[in-house]
Short mmCIF file of all heavy atoms in Angstrom, two decimals:
data_model
loop_
_atom_site.label_atom_id
_atom_site.label_comp_id
_atom_site.label_asym_id
_atom_site.label_seq_id
_atom_site.Cartn_x
_atom_site.Cartn_y
_atom_site.Cartn_z
N MET A 1 72.72 124.99 88.16
CA MET A 1 74.05 125.07 88.72
C MET A 1 74.81 123.75 88.59
O MET A 1 75.98 123.76 88.29
CB MET A 1 73.97 125.42 90.20
CG MET A 1 73.51 126.81 90.47
SD MET A 1 74.84 127.91 90.11
CE MET A 1 74.18 129.42 90.62
N ALA A 2 74.14 122.65 88.82
CA ALA A 2 74.84 121.37 88.81
C ALA A 2 75.22 120.94 87.40
O ALA A 2 76.17 120.20 87.22
CB ALA A 2 73.97 120.30 89.46
N GLY A 3 74.49 121.38 86.42
CA GLY A 3 74.80 121.00 85.05
C GLY A 3 74.56 119.52 84.83
O GLY A 3 73.48 119.01 85.06
N THR A 4 75.59 118.83 84.39
CA THR A 4 75.45 117.40 84.13
C THR A 4 75.91 116.54 85.31
O THR A 4 75.85 115.32 85.23
CB THR A 4 76.28 117.01 82.90
OG1 THR A 4 77.65 117.34 83.14
CG2 THR A 4 75.78 117.73 81.66
N GLU A 5 76.38 117.16 86.37
CA GLU A 5 76.82 116.40 87.54
C GLU A 5 75.60 115.92 88.32
O GLU A 5 74.68 116.68 88.57
CB GLU A 5 77.68 117.25 88.45
CG GLU A 5 79.03 117.61 87.89
CD GLU A 5 79.85 118.37 88.90
OE1 GLU A 5 79.74 118.11 90.10
OE2 GLU A 5 80.62 119.25 88.47
N PRO A 6 75.60 114.65 88.73
CA PRO A 6 74.49 114.17 89.55
C PRO A 6 74.57 114.76 90.96
O PRO A 6 75.65 114.98 91.50
CB PRO A 6 74.68 112.66 89.58
CG PRO A 6 76.12 112.45 89.32
CD PRO A 6 76.55 113.59 88.43
N VAL A 7 73.43 115.05 91.51
CA VAL A 7 73.37 115.59 92.87
C VAL A 7 73.27 114.41 93.83
O VAL A 7 72.34 113.61 93.76
CB VAL A 7 72.15 116.53 93.02
CG1 VAL A 7 72.07 117.05 94.44
CG2 VAL A 7 72.24 117.66 92.02
N THR A 8 74.24 114.29 94.71
CA THR A 8 74.26 113.18 95.68
C THR A 8 74.43 113.73 97.08
O THR A 8 74.95 114.82 97.28
CB THR A 8 75.40 112.21 95.37
OG1 THR A 8 76.64 112.92 95.44
CG2 THR A 8 75.26 111.59 94.00
N SER A 9 73.99 112.95 98.04
CA SER A 9 74.19 113.33 99.44
C SER A 9 75.45 112.63 99.96
O SER A 9 75.90 111.63 99.39
CB SER A 9 72.97 112.92 100.27
OG SER A 9 72.85 111.52 100.28
N PRO A 10 76.02 113.12 101.05
CA PRO A 10 77.26 112.52 101.57
C PRO A 10 77.11 111.06 101.96
O PRO A 10 78.07 110.30 101.89
CB PRO A 10 77.58 113.38 102.78
CG PRO A 10 76.91 114.67 102.54
CD PRO A 10 75.68 114.34 101.76
N ASP A 11 75.93 110.64 102.39
CA ASP A 11 75.78 109.24 102.80
C ASP A 11 75.74 108.29 101.61
O ASP A 11 75.83 107.08 101.78
CB ASP A 11 74.54 109.05 103.66
CG ASP A 11 73.25 109.41 102.94
OD1 ASP A 11 73.33 110.15 101.95
OD2 ASP A 11 72.19 108.96 103.38
N GLN A 12 75.63 108.80 100.40
CA GLN A 12 75.66 107.96 99.22
C GLN A 12 77.07 107.63 98.77
O GLN A 12 77.27 106.72 97.99
CB GLN A 12 74.91 108.62 98.06
CG GLN A 12 73.42 108.69 98.26
CD GLN A 12 72.74 109.43 97.13
OE1 GLN A 12 73.31 110.35 96.55
NE2 GLN A 12 71.52 109.03 96.82
N HIS A 13 78.04 108.38 99.26
CA HIS A 13 79.43 108.13 98.91
C HIS A 13 79.95 106.99 99.76
O HIS A 13 79.96 107.06 100.98
CB HIS A 13 80.28 109.38 99.11
CG HIS A 13 79.82 110.53 98.28
ND1 HIS A 13 80.03 110.60 96.93
CD2 HIS A 13 79.13 111.66 98.61
CE1 HIS A 13 79.51 111.72 96.46
NE2 HIS A 13 78.95 112.38 97.46
N LYS A 14 80.37 105.93 99.12
CA LYS A 14 80.84 104.75 99.83
C LYS A 14 82.25 104.99 100.35
O LYS A 14 83.08 105.58 99.67
CB LYS A 14 80.82 103.53 98.93
CG LYS A 14 79.48 103.21 98.34
CD LYS A 14 78.54 102.73 99.40
CE LYS A 14 77.21 102.38 98.75
NZ LYS A 14 76.11 102.40 99.66
N PRO A 15 82.54 104.49 101.54
CA PRO A 15 83.91 104.59 102.04
C PRO A 15 84.82 103.67 101.23
O PRO A 15 84.36 102.91 100.38
CB PRO A 15 83.81 104.15 103.49
CG PRO A 15 82.56 103.37 103.57
CD PRO A 15 81.64 103.90 102.51
N GLY A 16 86.09 103.67 101.53
CA GLY A 16 87.10 102.93 100.79
C GLY A 16 86.83 101.45 100.64
O GLY A 16 85.69 101.01 100.53
N HIS A 17 87.85 100.69 100.65
CA HIS A 17 87.77 99.26 100.39
C HIS A 17 87.30 98.51 101.63
O HIS A 17 87.98 98.49 102.65
CB HIS A 17 89.12 98.74 99.93
CG HIS A 17 89.60 99.43 98.70
ND1 HIS A 17 89.08 99.16 97.46
CD2 HIS A 17 90.54 100.39 98.52
CE1 HIS A 17 89.69 99.90 96.56
NE2 HIS A 17 90.56 100.68 97.18
N ARG A 18 86.15 97.87 101.52
CA ARG A 18 85.56 97.15 102.64
C ARG A 18 86.39 95.92 103.01
O ARG A 18 86.60 95.62 104.17
CB ARG A 18 84.14 96.74 102.26
CG ARG A 18 83.34 96.13 103.35
CD ARG A 18 81.92 95.83 102.89
NE ARG A 18 81.32 97.00 102.28
CZ ARG A 18 80.66 96.99 101.13
NH1 ARG A 18 80.51 95.88 100.45
NH2 ARG A 18 80.13 98.09 100.65
N LYS A 19 86.89 95.22 102.01
CA LYS A 19 87.67 94.01 102.27
C LYS A 19 88.98 94.33 102.96
O LYS A 19 89.43 93.58 103.83
CB LYS A 19 87.93 93.25 100.97
CG LYS A 19 86.70 92.57 100.43
CD LYS A 19 87.01 91.75 99.20
CE LYS A 19 85.75 91.11 98.67
NZ LYS A 19 86.02 90.31 97.48
N LEU A 20 89.60 95.44 102.58
CA LEU A 20 90.84 95.83 103.24
C LEU A 20 90.60 96.18 104.71
O LEU A 20 91.45 95.90 105.56
CB LEU A 20 91.48 97.01 102.52
CG LEU A 20 92.13 96.71 101.17
CD1 LEU A 20 92.69 97.97 100.55
CD2 LEU A 20 93.20 95.67 101.33
N GLY A 21 89.45 96.76 105.00
CA GLY A 21 89.11 97.05 106.39
C GLY A 21 88.93 95.79 107.21
O GLY A 21 89.37 95.70 108.35
N ARG A 22 88.27 94.80 106.60
CA ARG A 22 88.10 93.52 107.30
C ARG A 22 89.42 92.82 107.53
O ARG A 22 89.70 92.31 108.62
CB ARG A 22 87.18 92.61 106.49
CG ARG A 22 85.76 93.05 106.48
CD ARG A 22 84.93 92.12 105.64
NE ARG A 22 83.55 92.58 105.53
CZ ARG A 22 82.67 92.07 104.72
NH1 ARG A 22 82.99 91.06 103.94
NH2 ARG A 22 81.45 92.55 104.69
N ILE A 23 90.26 92.82 106.49
CA ILE A 23 91.57 92.18 106.62
C ILE A 23 92.41 92.91 107.68
O ILE A 23 93.07 92.28 108.50
CB ILE A 23 92.30 92.17 105.26
CG1 ILE A 23 91.58 91.21 104.31
CG2 ILE A 23 93.76 91.77 105.41
CD1 ILE A 23 92.06 91.29 102.87
N GLY A 24 92.35 94.23 107.68
CA GLY A 24 93.08 95.00 108.68
C GLY A 24 92.62 94.71 110.10
O GLY A 24 93.42 94.63 111.02
N ALA A 25 91.31 94.54 110.28
CA ALA A 25 90.79 94.25 111.61
C ALA A 25 91.22 92.86 112.07
O ALA A 25 91.59 92.68 113.24
CB ALA A 25 89.27 94.34 111.61
N VAL A 26 91.21 91.88 111.17
CA VAL A 26 91.63 90.53 111.54
C VAL A 26 93.12 90.50 111.84
O VAL A 26 93.55 89.87 112.83
CB VAL A 26 91.26 89.53 110.42
CG1 VAL A 26 91.87 88.17 110.68
CG2 VAL A 26 89.75 89.41 110.31
N VAL A 27 93.93 91.18 111.04
CA VAL A 27 95.37 91.23 111.29
C VAL A 27 95.66 91.93 112.62
O VAL A 27 96.52 91.49 113.39
CB VAL A 27 96.10 91.91 110.11
CG1 VAL A 27 97.54 92.24 110.45
CG2 VAL A 27 96.03 91.05 108.88
N SER A 28 94.92 92.99 112.91
CA SER A 28 95.10 93.70 114.18
C SER A 28 94.72 92.80 115.36
O SER A 28 95.40 92.81 116.40
CB SER A 28 94.25 94.97 114.22
OG SER A 28 94.67 95.86 113.23
N ALA A 29 93.64 92.04 115.21
CA ALA A 29 93.24 91.13 116.28
C ALA A 29 94.30 90.05 116.50
O ALA A 29 94.62 89.71 117.64
CB ALA A 29 91.89 90.49 115.95
N LEU A 30 94.88 89.54 115.41
CA LEU A 30 95.94 88.55 115.55
C LEU A 30 97.19 89.15 116.20
O LEU A 30 97.85 88.50 117.01
CB LEU A 30 96.29 87.95 114.18
CG LEU A 30 95.21 87.06 113.56
CD1 LEU A 30 95.63 86.64 112.16
CD2 LEU A 30 94.95 85.85 114.44
N ALA A 31 97.48 90.40 115.87
CA ALA A 31 98.62 91.07 116.50
C ALA A 31 98.39 91.27 117.99
O ALA A 31 99.30 91.08 118.79
CB ALA A 31 98.87 92.42 115.82
N LEU A 32 97.15 91.61 118.36
CA LEU A 32 96.84 91.75 119.78
C LEU A 32 96.98 90.42 120.51
O LEU A 32 97.51 90.36 121.63
CB LEU A 32 95.42 92.30 119.95
CG LEU A 32 95.21 93.76 119.62
CD1 LEU A 32 93.72 94.09 119.60
CD2 LEU A 32 95.93 94.64 120.62
N LEU A 33 96.51 89.35 119.88
CA LEU A 33 96.62 88.05 120.52
C LEU A 33 98.07 87.57 120.60
O LEU A 33 98.43 86.84 121.53
CB LEU A 33 95.75 87.03 119.77
CG LEU A 33 94.25 87.26 119.90
CD1 LEU A 33 93.49 86.26 119.04
CD2 LEU A 33 93.79 87.16 121.35
N SER A 34 98.90 87.98 119.65
CA SER A 34 100.31 87.59 119.72
C SER A 34 101.03 88.29 120.86
O SER A 34 102.07 87.83 121.31
CB SER A 34 101.00 87.89 118.40
OG SER A 34 101.16 89.27 118.22
N MET A 35 100.47 89.40 121.33
CA MET A 35 101.08 90.12 122.45
C MET A 35 100.84 89.42 123.78
O MET A 35 101.40 89.82 124.79
CB MET A 35 100.53 91.54 122.52
CG MET A 35 100.99 92.43 121.42
SD MET A 35 100.32 94.08 121.65
CE MET A 35 100.44 94.72 120.01
N LEU A 36 100.04 88.36 123.78
CA LEU A 36 99.84 87.59 125.02
C LEU A 36 101.13 86.91 125.44
O LEU A 36 101.35 86.65 126.63
CB LEU A 36 98.73 86.56 124.82
CG LEU A 36 97.32 87.11 124.67
CD1 LEU A 36 96.36 86.00 124.31
CD2 LEU A 36 96.89 87.80 125.94
N ILE A 37 101.97 86.59 124.46
CA ILE A 37 103.26 85.98 124.76
C ILE A 37 104.22 87.11 125.08
O ILE A 37 104.63 87.86 124.21
CB ILE A 37 103.77 85.17 123.54
CG1 ILE A 37 102.74 84.14 123.14
CG2 ILE A 37 105.12 84.54 123.84
CD1 ILE A 37 103.00 83.52 121.78
N GLY A 38 104.55 87.23 126.34
CA GLY A 38 105.42 88.33 126.73
C GLY A 38 105.94 88.15 128.13
O GLY A 38 105.77 87.10 128.76
N ASN A 39 106.54 89.18 128.64
CA ASN A 39 107.16 89.10 129.94
C ASN A 39 106.38 89.87 131.00
O ASN A 39 106.94 90.28 132.00
CB ASN A 39 108.60 89.62 129.86
CG ASN A 39 108.66 91.05 129.40
OD1 ASN A 39 107.65 91.63 129.02
ND2 ASN A 39 109.86 91.63 129.39
N HIS A 40 105.08 90.07 130.80
CA HIS A 40 104.30 90.78 131.81
C HIS A 40 103.79 89.78 132.85
O HIS A 40 103.58 88.61 132.57
CB HIS A 40 103.16 91.56 131.16
CG HIS A 40 102.29 90.76 130.25
ND1 HIS A 40 102.60 90.59 128.92
CD2 HIS A 40 101.15 90.08 130.46
CE1 HIS A 40 101.67 89.83 128.36
NE2 HIS A 40 100.78 89.51 129.27
N ASP A 41 103.62 90.28 134.07
CA ASP A 41 103.24 89.41 135.18
C ASP A 41 101.74 89.40 135.42
O ASP A 41 101.18 88.37 135.75
CB ASP A 41 103.94 89.87 136.48
CG ASP A 41 105.44 89.70 136.37
OD1 ASP A 41 105.87 88.74 135.70
OD2 ASP A 41 106.16 90.52 136.95
N GLY A 42 101.09 90.54 135.30
CA GLY A 42 99.68 90.64 135.62
C GLY A 42 98.79 90.04 134.56
O GLY A 42 99.18 89.80 133.41
N ARG A 43 97.55 89.78 134.95
CA ARG A 43 96.57 89.22 134.02
C ARG A 43 95.65 90.29 133.43
O ARG A 43 94.88 90.00 132.53
CB ARG A 43 95.72 88.15 134.72
CG ARG A 43 96.51 86.97 135.18
CD ARG A 43 96.95 86.16 133.99
NE ARG A 43 97.85 85.10 134.41
CZ ARG A 43 98.94 84.79 133.75
NH1 ARG A 43 99.29 85.43 132.67
NH2 ARG A 43 99.72 83.82 134.17
N VAL A 44 95.74 91.51 133.94
CA VAL A 44 94.88 92.58 133.44
C VAL A 44 95.21 92.88 131.98
O VAL A 44 94.31 93.09 131.16
CB VAL A 44 95.04 93.86 134.31
CG1 VAL A 44 94.25 95.02 133.74
CG2 VAL A 44 94.60 93.56 135.73
N GLU A 45 96.50 92.84 131.64
CA GLU A 45 96.89 93.08 130.25
C GLU A 45 96.28 92.02 129.34
O GLU A 45 95.83 92.32 128.23
CB GLU A 45 98.41 93.06 130.11
CG GLU A 45 99.11 94.18 130.85
CD GLU A 45 99.52 93.76 132.26
OE1 GLU A 45 99.10 92.69 132.72
OE2 GLU A 45 100.26 94.53 132.88
N ASN A 46 96.30 90.77 129.79
CA ASN A 46 95.74 89.68 128.99
C ASN A 46 94.25 89.87 128.76
O ASN A 46 93.75 89.63 127.66
CB ASN A 46 95.99 88.33 129.65
CG ASN A 46 97.45 87.96 129.67
OD1 ASN A 46 98.25 88.54 128.95
ND2 ASN A 46 97.81 87.00 130.50
N ILE A 47 93.55 90.32 129.78
CA ILE A 47 92.11 90.54 129.66
C ILE A 47 91.83 91.62 128.63
O ILE A 47 90.95 91.48 127.78
CB ILE A 47 91.50 90.90 131.04
CG1 ILE A 47 91.59 89.69 131.97
CG2 ILE A 47 90.06 91.36 130.89
CD1 ILE A 47 91.24 90.00 133.40
N TRP A 48 92.58 92.72 128.67
CA TRP A 48 92.39 93.81 127.72
C TRP A 48 92.72 93.36 126.29
O TRP A 48 92.00 93.67 125.35
CB TRP A 48 93.26 95.02 128.09
CG TRP A 48 92.58 95.91 129.07
CD1 TRP A 48 92.76 95.93 130.41
CD2 TRP A 48 91.59 96.89 128.78
NE1 TRP A 48 91.95 96.87 130.97
CE2 TRP A 48 91.23 97.48 130.00
CE3 TRP A 48 90.99 97.34 127.61
CZ2 TRP A 48 90.28 98.48 130.08
CZ3 TRP A 48 90.04 98.34 127.69
CH2 TRP A 48 89.70 98.90 128.91
N LEU A 49 93.83 92.64 126.14
CA LEU A 49 94.22 92.19 124.80
C LEU A 49 93.18 91.25 124.21
O LEU A 49 92.79 91.39 123.04
CB LEU A 49 95.58 91.50 124.86
CG LEU A 49 96.78 92.41 125.14
CD1 LEU A 49 98.03 91.57 125.38
CD2 LEU A 49 97.00 93.37 123.99
N ILE A 50 92.72 90.30 125.00
CA ILE A 50 91.71 89.35 124.51
C ILE A 50 90.39 90.08 124.24
O ILE A 50 89.73 89.84 123.23
CB ILE A 50 91.53 88.21 125.52
CG1 ILE A 50 92.80 87.36 125.56
CG2 ILE A 50 90.33 87.35 125.16
CD1 ILE A 50 92.84 86.34 126.68
N GLY A 51 90.01 90.98 125.14
CA GLY A 51 88.76 91.72 124.97
C GLY A 51 88.75 92.57 123.71
O GLY A 51 87.77 92.60 122.96
N LEU A 52 89.85 93.26 123.45
CA LEU A 52 89.93 94.09 122.25
C LEU A 52 89.95 93.24 120.98
O LEU A 52 89.31 93.60 119.98
CB LEU A 52 91.17 94.98 122.30
CG LEU A 52 91.12 96.12 123.33
CD1 LEU A 52 92.47 96.80 123.42
CD2 LEU A 52 90.04 97.11 122.97
N ALA A 53 90.65 92.12 121.01
CA ALA A 53 90.69 91.24 119.84
C ALA A 53 89.31 90.65 119.57
O ALA A 53 88.85 90.61 118.41
CB ALA A 53 91.71 90.12 120.05
N VAL A 54 88.61 90.22 120.61
CA VAL A 54 87.26 89.67 120.44
C VAL A 54 86.31 90.76 119.94
O VAL A 54 85.46 90.51 119.09
CB VAL A 54 86.76 89.05 121.77
CG1 VAL A 54 85.28 88.74 121.71
CG2 VAL A 54 87.55 87.79 122.08
N GLY A 55 86.47 91.97 120.44
CA GLY A 55 85.64 93.09 119.98
C GLY A 55 85.83 93.37 118.49
O GLY A 55 84.85 93.57 117.76
N LEU A 56 87.08 93.39 118.04
CA LEU A 56 87.34 93.61 116.62
C LEU A 56 86.74 92.51 115.76
O LEU A 56 86.12 92.77 114.73
CB LEU A 56 88.85 93.67 116.37
CG LEU A 56 89.54 95.00 116.63
CD1 LEU A 56 91.05 94.83 116.50
CD2 LEU A 56 89.06 96.05 115.68
N LEU A 57 86.91 91.27 116.19
CA LEU A 57 86.37 90.15 115.42
C LEU A 57 84.85 90.15 115.43
O LEU A 57 84.21 89.80 114.44
CB LEU A 57 86.92 88.84 115.95
CG LEU A 57 88.42 88.64 115.74
CD1 LEU A 57 88.88 87.35 116.40
CD2 LEU A 57 88.79 88.67 114.28
N ALA A 58 84.24 90.59 116.54
CA ALA A 58 82.78 90.67 116.61
C ALA A 58 82.25 91.73 115.64
O ALA A 58 81.21 91.54 115.01
CB ALA A 58 82.33 90.98 118.03
N ILE A 59 82.96 92.83 115.51
CA ILE A 59 82.56 93.87 114.56
C ILE A 59 82.63 93.35 113.14
O ILE A 59 81.73 93.58 112.33
CB ILE A 59 83.44 95.13 114.75
CG1 ILE A 59 83.10 95.81 116.07
CG2 ILE A 59 83.27 96.09 113.59
CD1 ILE A 59 84.05 96.92 116.45
N VAL A 60 83.70 92.62 112.82
CA VAL A 60 83.84 92.07 111.46
C VAL A 60 82.73 91.06 111.17
O VAL A 60 82.10 91.11 110.11
CB VAL A 60 85.24 91.43 111.29
CG1 VAL A 60 85.31 90.64 110.00
CG2 VAL A 60 86.32 92.49 111.33
N VAL A 61 82.49 90.15 112.11
CA VAL A 61 81.44 89.15 111.90
C VAL A 61 80.07 89.82 111.82
O VAL A 61 79.25 89.46 110.97
CB VAL A 61 81.49 88.09 113.03
CG1 VAL A 61 80.27 87.18 112.98
CG2 VAL A 61 82.76 87.27 112.93
N GLY A 62 79.81 90.80 112.67
CA GLY A 62 78.54 91.51 112.62
C GLY A 62 78.34 92.23 111.30
O GLY A 62 77.24 92.23 110.74
N ASP A 63 79.40 92.82 110.78
CA ASP A 63 79.31 93.50 109.48
C ASP A 63 79.01 92.51 108.36
O ASP A 63 78.18 92.77 107.50
CB ASP A 63 80.62 94.24 109.20
CG ASP A 63 80.57 95.00 107.89
OD1 ASP A 63 79.66 95.84 107.73
OD2 ASP A 63 81.44 94.76 107.04
N ILE A 64 79.66 91.36 108.41
CA ILE A 64 79.43 90.34 107.38
C ILE A 64 77.98 89.85 107.43
O ILE A 64 77.31 89.73 106.41
CB ILE A 64 80.42 89.17 107.55
CG1 ILE A 64 81.83 89.62 107.18
CG2 ILE A 64 80.01 87.98 106.68
CD1 ILE A 64 82.91 88.63 107.53
N VAL A 65 77.48 89.59 108.63
CA VAL A 65 76.10 89.09 108.78
C VAL A 65 75.09 90.14 108.33
O VAL A 65 74.14 89.83 107.60
CB VAL A 65 75.84 88.66 110.24
CG1 VAL A 65 74.37 88.40 110.48
CG2 VAL A 65 76.67 87.44 110.58
N LEU A 66 75.28 91.39 108.72
CA LEU A 66 74.34 92.44 108.33
C LEU A 66 74.35 92.66 106.83
O LEU A 66 73.29 92.86 106.22
CB LEU A 66 74.67 93.75 109.06
CG LEU A 66 74.32 93.80 110.53
CD1 LEU A 66 74.80 95.12 111.14
CD2 LEU A 66 72.85 93.63 110.74
N ARG A 67 75.50 92.63 106.20
CA ARG A 67 75.56 92.82 104.76
C ARG A 67 74.96 91.64 104.02
O ARG A 67 74.33 91.81 102.98
CB ARG A 67 76.99 93.05 104.31
CG ARG A 67 77.48 94.42 104.72
CD ARG A 67 78.84 94.71 104.16
NE ARG A 67 79.39 95.92 104.75
CZ ARG A 67 79.07 97.14 104.39
NH1 ARG A 67 78.19 97.34 103.46
NH2 ARG A 67 79.61 98.18 104.98
N ARG A 68 75.16 90.44 104.54
CA ARG A 68 74.60 89.25 103.88
C ARG A 68 73.07 89.29 103.95
O ARG A 68 72.38 88.87 103.03
CB ARG A 68 75.11 87.99 104.56
CG ARG A 68 74.61 86.73 103.88
CD ARG A 68 75.27 85.50 104.44
NE ARG A 68 76.69 85.54 104.07
CZ ARG A 68 77.63 84.91 104.74
NH1 ARG A 68 77.33 84.21 105.81
NH2 ARG A 68 78.89 84.98 104.37
N ASN A 69 72.52 89.79 105.05
CA ASN A 69 71.07 89.87 105.21
C ASN A 69 70.48 91.11 104.55
O ASN A 69 69.27 91.31 104.57
CB ASN A 69 70.69 89.86 106.69
CG ASN A 69 70.99 88.53 107.33
OD1 ASN A 69 71.05 87.50 106.67
ND2 ASN A 69 71.19 88.54 108.64
N GLY A 70 71.32 91.97 103.99
CA GLY A 70 70.84 93.15 103.29
C GLY A 70 70.43 94.28 104.20
O GLY A 70 69.70 95.18 103.79
N LEU A 71 70.89 94.28 105.43
CA LEU A 71 70.50 95.32 106.37
C LEU A 71 71.44 96.53 106.34
O LEU A 71 71.16 97.54 106.93
CB LEU A 71 70.44 94.75 107.79
CG LEU A 71 69.40 93.64 107.97
CD1 LEU A 71 69.49 93.08 109.37
CD2 LEU A 71 68.01 94.15 107.68
N ARG A 72 72.59 96.38 105.68
CA ARG A 72 73.50 97.51 105.50
C ARG A 72 73.84 97.61 104.04
O ARG A 72 73.90 96.63 103.32
CB ARG A 72 74.79 97.29 106.29
CG ARG A 72 74.55 97.43 107.78
CD ARG A 72 75.81 97.38 108.53
NE ARG A 72 76.59 98.58 108.26
CZ ARG A 72 77.79 98.78 108.78
NH1 ARG A 72 78.33 97.87 109.55
NH2 ARG A 72 78.45 99.88 108.52
N SER A 73 74.08 98.82 103.60
CA SER A 73 74.40 99.00 102.16
C SER A 73 75.89 98.95 101.94
O SER A 73 76.69 99.04 102.78
CB SER A 73 73.86 100.32 101.66
OG SER A 73 74.39 101.38 102.41
#
C-alpha cells in the first residue's frame, strides 16, 4: 500500500522552526516586562508579568540545555 513512501510515525515529524519559537518566546518575555511601566497601582500585576516572563525564559533556556546535551531530538 505504501509503495515508495516511507512509513513514519507522527512523533518523527518535526514541528516548525525551532529558532523562530525561541525568538518569539524571548520577544514575548520582553513585551511582558515592558508592561511593567504603566499606570497600574497594585503589585499583583507586576508579579504576574515578571513570573510569566521568567517562565518563558526558563523554558527557552531549558530547551537549549536539553538539546545541547542530546536529551531532546
Side-chain angles (χ1 to χ4, degrees):
M1 291 284 186
T4 59
E5 291 184 34
V7 178
T8 60
S9 65
D11 61 340
Q12 290 176 328
H13 300 286
K14 302 291 182 202
H17 302 284
R18 187 177 308 133
K19 288 184 181 180
L20 287 178
R22 289 178 184 170
I23 291 170
V26 171
V27 168
S28 296
L30 291 175
L32 287 170
L33 292 176
S34 71
M35 290 182 201
L36 291 173
I37 303 167
N39 60 354
H40 52 273
D41 295 327
R43 296 289 173 222
V44 175
E45 295 93 350
N46 292 344
I47 293 170
W48 274 98
L49 290 171
I50 292 170
L52 289 172
V54 168
L56 278 173
L57 294 176
I59 290 171
V60 170
V61 170
D63 182 56
I64 290 170
V65 169
L66 286 176
R67 288 186 190 280
R68 182 172 293 156
N69 292 336
L71 298 176
R72 288 187 69 182
S73 58

